[in-house]
Amino acid sequence: MSKVKNAYKEIENIIGDDYISDADFMKAAYSRNVDPAFPDRCADMIVRPENTEEVSEIVKIAIKYKIHMVPRGGGADLVGGSVSEGGILIDLTRMNKILEINEDDYYYIVECGVTWGALLSELHPRGLTSGVTGPGSGFAATIGGGLSNSTAGGGSTKYGLVPDVCLGVEVVLPNPQGTIVRTGSAANQYATPFCRYGVAPDFTGLFMGDVGIMGIKTKAFLRLFPDPPFKARRYYMLLKDDYNKVFEFGHKLRKEVGDGLNDLMVFPFILTQLLSAQVVNKPSKRAKLTGPVVSVTLDATDERILDVYLEKVDEIMLKDDASRPFEWQEIDLDMVLSKDWSFTLKEEFNFFQKYISMAPPKSSCTTCHKVAISRLNESVQKGVQFNINYQKEFPPGNPPYPVFASFLMFLPNGNCVIVGGLGGDNTDENREATMNIWHKKIRHQVKYGAAHYWLGESISQSIVEAGAYTPEFMQFFKDMKKTVDPNYLLSPNKFHLYSYDHDYTEHLVED
Ligand SMILES: Cc1cc2nc3c(=O)[nH]c(=O)nc-3n(C[C@H](O)[C@H](O)[C@H](O)COP(=O)(O)OP(=O)(O)OC[C@H]3O[C@@H](n4cnc5c(N)ncnc54)[C@H](O)[C@@H]3O)c2cc1C
């Protein structure tokens, strides 16, 4: 029997035949995440463990037969992270229990395959929140995916990235023993997971944003917050398409509204124009569109405090006639008025989904990255210039305007996300050109100092190709990887980490 067949049999004995498959239709169903830029890639088998011990047993078998593994949560990755060419794809979505909600000590414990939708549906009716409410891909993404992709999403302006609200994790290491470790205060076997620091070095960080290369996260210990009951959202349209002004507003709102600022986002001018063209239920009068739309979401523990925040925001945004109050109803009668806004699980779909899926037959190569807010205008301009300079290298069907280059989400401290990407007709003939320009664009961003977040395969490889890491850092990285994964069998393509001895310098690219 081949090693794959042997491994299959042994894993089947552990998790049962209902939860392992090598049937073609299953392999096809798991052959991609939400990333049409990649070809379909089929694992040798898909396994769906029920608990940490089963994950550990699977790992032991995989290592025994030297078969590589890739962990997968909701599969909403856009950058090739949660698929596997050959090997074992470990689907964690059966591990979806909310194990504890500790309202006294403000933490909760979940299995990493739980979705944001299931979690929020449990927390919100109790007046509680996870702070960050999950990625723009929607609520079928998992907590494990959020921790592994350093996800930014709803509430990130106030609470940061998903790892920022993480107190520790339980992880299965990809070593011959399938070692199970816990981090944060849970590393002390006598303690509850109520805090992250103070028991050992911060090993939690080793597994945050690792895109599943350092271990398989099975449980997460996370911060719990009271959900401020008073919320409001307001929109403003800039009178000019001016990103220096966007920076100014962002900076001021951060300084003067502080903790009341739950979310601060900016929708680029071109996006508003395109959305307006797509609308079904149009108003009879055509809206005057002049610049980006700033969306400000506020929350407060008291209605009077919320009123003060609203006043302050109006004062900042309307001063000097740089912007005006805006309603999405000006272009789409199906949208709710800002005075009627309330948070619903559906709300987050209104923009992200339309935005990223504007043209379904296109490949969607995301280039979302973080920059320091003072570098915002410069970075947006550099993105635009890149598209102009290399337009000929883009695959056919790429829009001639930088649609994706300017959607923003402000994060705590001085950084913001520039959501973006490129596209092109999604055909097999275009794939190579698409991949090449995608990697090139990421390298360009890395070289102007960008920090990405979901790194998956394409982005993590492009960071290495750009020569971002010094030889000393790369050696450290490889040594750390070897410590947890001596055979380099967990997600081997990411960061071009194929084996300990592999020479990463052969991937460096001079642009
Ligand atoms: C329309 C759209 C909008 C998006 N918007 C955002 C956004 O606003 N912010 C954002 O951050 N992302 C966004 N994404 C990307 C993605 O959806 C998120 O990063 C999401 O958090 C991924 O979660 P998932 O459960 O689907 O992970 P998956 O796709 O299953 O996995 C993501 C990565 O994590 C690894 N992984 C998953 N679970 C585990 C685990 N338990 N242990 C170890 N490794 C694991 C996988 O190997 C993979 O590399 C968007 C995607 C789409 C399609």
Side-chain angles (χ1 to χ4, degrees):
M1 266 209 290
S2 74
K3 64 177 194 172
V4 170
K5 285 217 165 77
N6 279 325
Y8 189 99
K9 210 67 237 120
E10 289 183 31
I11 296 174
E12 189 179 33
N13 287 340
I14 295 192
I15 63 175
D17 58 4
D18 277 350
Y19 299 110
I20 180 166
S21 180
D22 59 1
D24 285 345
F25 75 93
M26 284 293 281
K27 292 202 263 190
Y30 280 90
S31 64
R32 51 177 49 227
N33 34 225
V34 195
D35 56 9
F38 284 89
D40 296 351
R41 292 180 290 174
C42 289
D44 288 323
M45 65 188 92
I46 293 101
V47 300
R48 303 192 67 223
E50 190 184 16
N51 54 46
T52 307
E53 290 67 34
E54 285 188 0
V55 174
S56 171
E57 292 304 318
I58 292 165
V59 163
K60 285 189 216 169
I61 296 164
I63 307 280
K64 179 168 124 189
Y65 290 105
K66 302 269 185 296
I67 299 173
H68 69 265
M69 299 159 275
V70 174
R72 177 177 173 111
D77 195 81
L78 281 160
V79 286
S82 44
V83 281
S84 182
E85 175 72 55
I88 304 173
L89 189 66
I90 306 178
D91 172 354
L92 289 141
T93 54
R94 256 182 95 209
M95 296 181 59
N96 58 6
K97 291 187 213 58
I98 299 171
L99 298 169
E100 183 184 351
I101 298 176
N102 193 318
E103 294 189 45
D104 291 331
D105 296 331
Y106 284 112
Y107 70 80
Y108 61 97
I109 306 178
V110 291
E111 290 182 326
C112 282
V114 75
T115 62
W116 290 99
L119 177 69
L120 296 178
S121 302
E122 194 62 39
L123 296 182
H124 282 182
R126 300 185 191 201
L128 299 167
T129 179
S130 48
V132 193
T133 53
S137 45
F139 296 102
T142 63
I143 307 300
L147 294 168
S148 310
N149 270 4
S150 324
T151 282
S156 277
T157 304
K158 179 166 178 173
Y159 297 95
L161 306 175
V162 180
D164 292 330
V165 293
C166 183
L167 298 169
V169 278
E170 177 186 84
V171 191
V172 176
L173 301 181
N175 63 20
Q177 301 75 32
T179 305
I180 302 167
V181 290
R182 289 176 167 213
T183 67
S185 64
N188 172 357
Q189 55 185 313
Y190 308 113
T192 57
F194 70 103
C195 71
R196 179 156 166 178
Y197 304 98
V199 170
D202 179 31
F203 291 124
T204 306
L206 200 58
F207 304 101
M208 299 293 104
D210 72 330
V211 287
I213 69 159
M214 302 303 265
I216 301 161
K217 290 178 263 297
T218 48
K219 293 194 184 96
F221 317 120
L222 295 140
R223 291 176 68 188
L224 183 64
F225 303 88
D227 194 19
F230 299 96
K231 297 181 200 297
R233 182 170 286 172
R234 292 290 180 269
Y235 303 103
Y236 302 86
M237 179 171 278
L238 264 63
L239 299 192
K240 283 196 189 127
D241 196 7
D242 175 359
Y243 276 83
N244 279 320
K245 205 73 209 163
V246 171
F247 160 67
E248 233 174 79
F249 281 141
H251 202 263
K252 233 173 169 191
L253 287 166
R254 158 79 62 226
K255 193 169 162 197
E256 295 183 26
V257 185
D259 248 10
L261 209 53
N262 176 287
D263 246 338
L264 178 57
M265 298 198 192
V266 179
F267 300 88
F269 182 37
I270 182 77
L271 178 70
T272 314
Q273 286 176 313
L274 283 171
L275 288 177
S276 143
Q278 285 181 342
V279 164
V280 180
N281 198 1
K282 286 183 202 269
S284 53
K285 194 169 157 237
R286 224 186 147 120
K288 189 165 182 237
L289 307 178
T290 49
V293 172
V294 178
S295 155
V296 187
T297 310
L298 301 162
D299 63 19
T301 51
D302 188 301
E303 202 164 5
R304 291 166 301 175
I305 301 176
L306 187 67
D307 285 343
V308 174
Y309 287 152
L310 282 168
E311 225 174 80
K312 195 99 220 145
V313 171
D314 257 353
E315 204 179 287
I316 294 169
M317 296 302 299
L318 301 178
K319 195 169 172 238
D320 300 334
D321 289 334
S323 78
R324 66 170 178 92
F326 174 75
E327 291 289 352
W328 287 104
Q329 281 215 345
E330 292 179 34
I331 59 172
D332 184 352
L333 291 174
D334 290 332
M335 301 290 279
V336 289
L337 284 167
S338 57
K339 72 175 170 51
D340 300 327
W341 176 83
S342 63
F343 178 85
T344 66
L345 289 182
K346 185 176 164 286
E347 166 66 24
E348 300 301 312
F349 288 86
N350 279 339
F351 300 107
F352 273 104
Q353 303 293 319
K354 281 185 197 164
Y355 177 55
I356 298 207
S357 332
M358 264 192 307
K362 305 281 179 193
S363 44
S364 173
C365 306
T366 53
T367 58
C368 306
H369 59 292
K370 291 166 285 184
V371 294
I373 56 172
S374 62
R375 305 274 305 276
L376 174 56
N377 188 41
E378 182 193 336
S379 309
V380 169
Q381 297 318 324
K382 282 190 165 149
V384 172
Q385 199 52 48
F386 178 94
N387 291 7
I388 294 168
N389 291 354
Y390 297 105
Q391 189 59 46
K392 287 209 181 88
E393 294 177 36
F394 280 70
N398 185 70
Y401 36 76
V403 179
F404 287 108
S406 43
F407 176 95
L408 302 172
M409 189 193 282
F410 285 80
L411 299 173
N413 299 347
N415 66 93
C416 69
V417 168
I418 302 186
V419 175
L422 53 97
D425 295 338
N426 184 19
T427 61
D428 284 343
E429 307 80 70
N430 285 346
R431 200 164 322 273
E432 198 181 333
T434 306
M435 277 291 171
N436 286 345
I437 192 72
W438 190 10
H439 278 235
K440 189 168 185 161
K441 179 137 191 176
I442 300 291
R443 293 195 296 268
H444 168 77
Q445 295 170 338
V446 167
K447 286 185 176 167
Y448 66 62
H452 294 76
Y453 41 129
W454 53 56
L455 305 180
E457 193 174 296
S458 46
I459 298 190
S460 68
Q461 289 181 349
S462 305
I463 297 171
V464 174
E465 289 160 17
Y469 305 139
T470 62
E472 293 77 12
F473 179 86
M474 202 61 199
Q475 189 56 49
F476 173 73
F477 192 174
K478 282 166 67 174
D479 288 340
M480 298 302 278
K481 169 79 173 160
K482 192 178 175 192
T483 304
V484 291
D485 182 6
N487 300 285
Y488 275 52
L489 284 173
L490 191 64
S491 302
N493 288 347
K494 295 166 187 167
F495 298 93
H496 288 301
L497 285 172
Y498 307 104
S499 71
Y500 183 70
D501 297 321
H502 183 76
D503 179 9
Y504 77 96
T505 61
E506 70 185 54
H507 302 287
L508 297 179
V509 178
E510 280 298 329
D511 285 308

